[in-house]
Amino acid sequence: MMSFLPPVSALLSSFARVPRGASFALPLLVISICSGCISSGGRIEPVDDPPLVSDTAPAPLLHDAPMAASEAKSEGDSEVPVAVAESEQHEAPPKPGDLPELIVKGRTRDLVIRDLVAEGQAQLRDVQLQYVFTGKDGHEVLRGRPVAFALWSEAQKNWTIAHLEIPRPPVKWKPGRGELPFTVRTPGIEARHVKGTGAERLMFKFSRDGEELKVYGRKFPVFDNTLIKRKRWREAATTARPIVYLPYTPDTLDPRFITGGRDFLLATARGAIDELRDASVPSEAFPGELLADVIPAEVIATLAVIEQTDDEDFLEKGTDAFDEVLSQYGLKREEAYRYSVSSAKALGPMQFTDRRGHGTYSFVVRNCRGAQLDPNFERGSTRLRNAMKAAVCLLDIELSQMNSEIRAAYRAKPDVLGIFPVAAYNGGGRNVAKLYRALNRMGVQLAELRRAGKLPPGSAIVCPCVWREEGSLVQAVSIPRYNSENSGYIEKYQSILSLFD
């Protein structure tokens, strides 16, 4: 049990949950407020040698927790490159005793959450992660990956640090194929696995004596992938980089974070486009025009959300799934999703790949030289503004490979016809050709396409779909099956676009 902190935490229970429909009517989060706040955004602790404990006894019994239904499709949770952890250059979070006294009168819920996240981060600052090894005589193996969580009790008004051990990498568990095994190493704490296995999304729910405890911090060790592959377990543990980073949890969802995240993404996208304009980067798709005039900031902002919205979450929750992602951007801003790694090794908020210099990021760096993109993959793909610049370049390059009819229609209505470069961003030019042929088979002319509307109750139309204007009506038309992931990606794009108007 950690020392008592008397923060604004008690206020959380007094705040009423604001319905989603009212979320965007709330005042926008003032950027100046955030600049002085401490968030959990992946701040790196000083690298001390972790305690190494030899253990030849059998591992403790594992708790098999039910998997959340929304995680039928995982983000992959591949290992985060250690270089991403090492790229953090933030100040160390304050120690609990250094936190200023919090004045709670008149504070809004989003500021209360920020303070709790800062306190949780401070609680984890000096927490040591304990690595346990099994075997002997040169055959020692790291038993699991230790993870620590900062838990807040509303009833007792104090903090508890919960230690868990999850499977060490490479993690063979997959969602939908059984339950994630884990060990609770803190007496009296009960845990249930909610989602993920990696640095970006690993999350549990916790309780003690029937009380649900709120998670406001998590400490997670990032290993050197090379050492893991070579099974140099002690060296991997000794050189692990512990990061303090809070994945999404419903306890941090707030309407002001949603609107703040939306505005932050738009402002960052516009800043990226302004840099491209200042550099006079030409468009590949539309010769004689500037790249900055070809790709709208709204399209780039949607990609930052779509790439982090799980397909199953979208199917289950609809546009509420976008709110969860936007809330993360509102809370953590530049730090949000920098540890997101897919099963295809796509990294960061915009999900670029490297593939030893042959991935999408390296391709864009080589072919969009005027953009002055960071040539370092780990750094460039995890810094949001740079990654957004790279996304602008990639969409333009993809457009340049499309036929003249698509390019002309896109130039007339880049938001609506953005379905084509967005389809290419997700699945390459081959999926663009498939989508184009599907629309032709449906008899849909590109000039007829419109913004997505809402299906009436009881509609027989099954989406993914596109929306076409017929006379005075705009109606949905189901997209013939050509690629379920790509058509679902387009559906997400059309569903979120209006949020950035």
Side-chain angles (χ1 to χ4, degrees):
M1 195 77 67
M2 302 302 293
S3 61
F4 169 70
L5 287 174
V8 295
S9 315
L11 281 184
L12 278 179
S13 59
S14 66
F15 284 101
R17 174 68 183 266
V18 180
R20 184 187 180 280
S23 63
F24 290 105
L26 289 172
L28 300 182
L29 185 63
V30 181
I31 292 179
S32 61
I33 292 178
C34 301
S35 63
C37 300
I38 302 174
S39 76
S40 66
R43 303 190 183 231
I44 296 303
E45 309 299 323
V47 181
D48 297 320
D49 290 342
L52 305 178
V53 181
S54 295
D55 184 1
T56 57
L61 294 176
L62 297 175
H63 295 264
D64 294 327
M67 181 188 64
S70 63
E71 203 187 4
K73 181 177 183 291
S74 170
E75 79 287 352
D77 278 343
S78 294
E79 284 297 297
V80 173
V82 72
V84 176
E86 291 174 343
S87 69
E88 295 282 5
Q89 298 295 329
H90 298 290
E91 296 179 2
K95 294 183 178 180
D98 297 335
L99 288 169
E101 182 179 355
L102 301 176
I103 301 174
V104 303
K105 185 176 181 180
R107 291 176 70 81
T108 56
R109 184 176 182 274
D110 60 311
L111 296 181
V112 173
I113 292 172
R114 286 190 182 279
D115 290 331
L116 282 164
V117 171
E119 293 170 19
Q121 182 183 26
Q123 292 289 338
L124 291 166
R125 182 179 188 272
D126 297 321
V127 168
Q128 295 285 299
L129 299 176
Q130 189 174 74
Y131 300 85
V132 179
F133 296 83
T134 59
K136 56 184 178 179
D137 299 331
H139 297 285
E140 289 183 324
V141 175
L142 179 63
R143 190 178 68 192
R145 173 182 245 142
V147 187
F149 293 82
L151 311 179
W152 172 255
S153 167
E154 288 283 357
Q156 299 182 23
K157 299 295 184 291
N158 59 13
W159 292 92
T160 298
I161 300 299
H163 291 268
L164 271 66
E165 186 177 292
I166 65 172
R168 61 166 172 78
V171 179
K172 298 180 180 179
W173 175 84
K174 298 291 183 183
R177 300 180 186 175
E179 301 163 349
L180 176 71
F182 65 92
T183 305
V184 179
R185 302 180 65 86
T186 303
I189 295 294
E190 296 181 358
R192 179 171 67 85
H193 179 236
V194 175
K195 193 168 189 177
T197 61
E200 181 61 53
R201 286 176 171 81
L202 174 72
M203 183 50 63
F204 289 78
K205 284 189 175 181
F206 296 89
S207 62
R208 180 180 53 210
D209 298 330
E211 180 196 2
E212 183 174 325
L213 303 175
K214 300 190 180 212
V215 183
Y216 288 115
R218 191 206 61 192
K219 196 167 193 173
F220 183 99
V222 176
F223 296 121
D224 186 318
N225 287 325
T226 300
L227 297 175
I228 292 296
K229 290 176 182 178
R230 295 176 180 176
K231 299 183 178 180
R232 291 158 59 177
W233 303 114
R234 280 195 173 270
E235 190 175 350
T238 304
T239 60
R241 302 284 305 211
I243 58 173
V244 176
Y245 181 83
L246 182 63
Y248 170 76
T249 167
D251 293 329
T252 60
L253 181 65
D254 185 82
R256 284 184 172 85
F257 289 149
I258 295 170
T259 55
R262 180 194 63 185
D263 293 346
F264 165 70
L265 288 177
L266 270 177
T268 306
R270 288 167 180 159
I273 290 173
D274 286 344
E275 288 185 12
L276 294 170
R277 187 182 306 281
D278 292 342
S280 300
V281 181
S283 168
E284 290 287 332
F286 302 97
E289 297 191 44
L290 290 178
L291 175 55
D293 295 324
V294 170
I295 309 295
E298 291 77 8
V299 173
I300 298 301
T302 65
L303 288 177
V305 178
I306 295 170
E307 285 292 339
Q308 302 303 328
T309 303
D310 181 82
D311 292 345
E312 294 299 325
D313 281 349
F314 178 62
L315 289 174
E316 178 187 343
K317 305 173 185 177
T319 54
D320 286 347
F322 298 145
D323 286 354
E324 296 178 2
V325 176
L326 287 169
S327 186
Q328 280 289 84
Y329 279 114
L331 173 63
K332 291 187 285 199
R333 302 172 72 79
E334 291 88 351
E335 295 298 307
Y337 299 107
R338 74 184 314 270
Y339 298 113
S340 179
V341 187
S342 76
S343 57
K345 302 296 191 294
L347 176 63
M350 308 302 290
Q351 289 288 280
F352 280 100
T353 59
D354 181 40
R355 297 178 184 171
R356 299 181 179 179
H358 299 285
T360 52
Y361 188 77
S362 303
F363 171 79
V364 170
V365 170
R366 291 193 300 269
N367 290 276
C368 198
R369 296 185 181 276
Q372 301 175 354
L373 300 171
D374 190 326
N376 180 277
F377 169 67
E378 287 83 6
R379 203 168 49 228
S381 60
T382 56
R383 293 183 176 176
L384 182 59
R385 180 176 289 201
N386 183 85
M388 282 185 162
K389 284 202 300 181
V392 173
C393 289
L394 180 57
L395 291 179
D396 180 62
I397 293 170
E398 294 286 4
L399 276 165
S400 72
Q401 305 300 311
M402 299 178 197
N403 66 43
S404 58
E405 182 186 0
I406 295 176
R407 292 202 309 274
Y410 170 85
R411 205 67 190 97
K413 289 184 290 188
D415 54 347
V416 176
L417 274 295
I419 60 174
F420 285 101
V422 164
Y425 193 92
N426 170 252
R430 185 174 301 177
N431 279 308
V432 171
K434 291 179 180 178
L435 174 61
Y436 181 69
R437 289 196 295 268
L439 293 177
N440 281 339
R441 290 197 302 272
M442 295 156 57
V444 176
Q445 302 296 314
L446 300 186
E448 298 174 337
L449 293 175
R450 295 294 182 269
R451 285 281 193 103
K454 289 187 177 181
L455 290 174
S459 173
I461 300 297
V462 178
C463 289
C465 49
V466 294
W467 295 75
R468 68 188 297 185
E469 184 175 27
E470 296 180 293
S472 60
L473 299 176
V474 176
Q475 297 181 329
V477 182
S478 297
I479 301 175
R481 296 181 63 179
Y482 71 93
N483 181 298
S484 58
E485 179 186 350
N486 198 249
S487 59
Y489 198 86
I490 292 170
E491 183 71 13
K492 287 193 286 187
Y493 168 75
Q494 295 182 109
S495 298
I496 194 176
L497 188 59
S498 62
L499 298 182
F500 288 96
D501 287 342

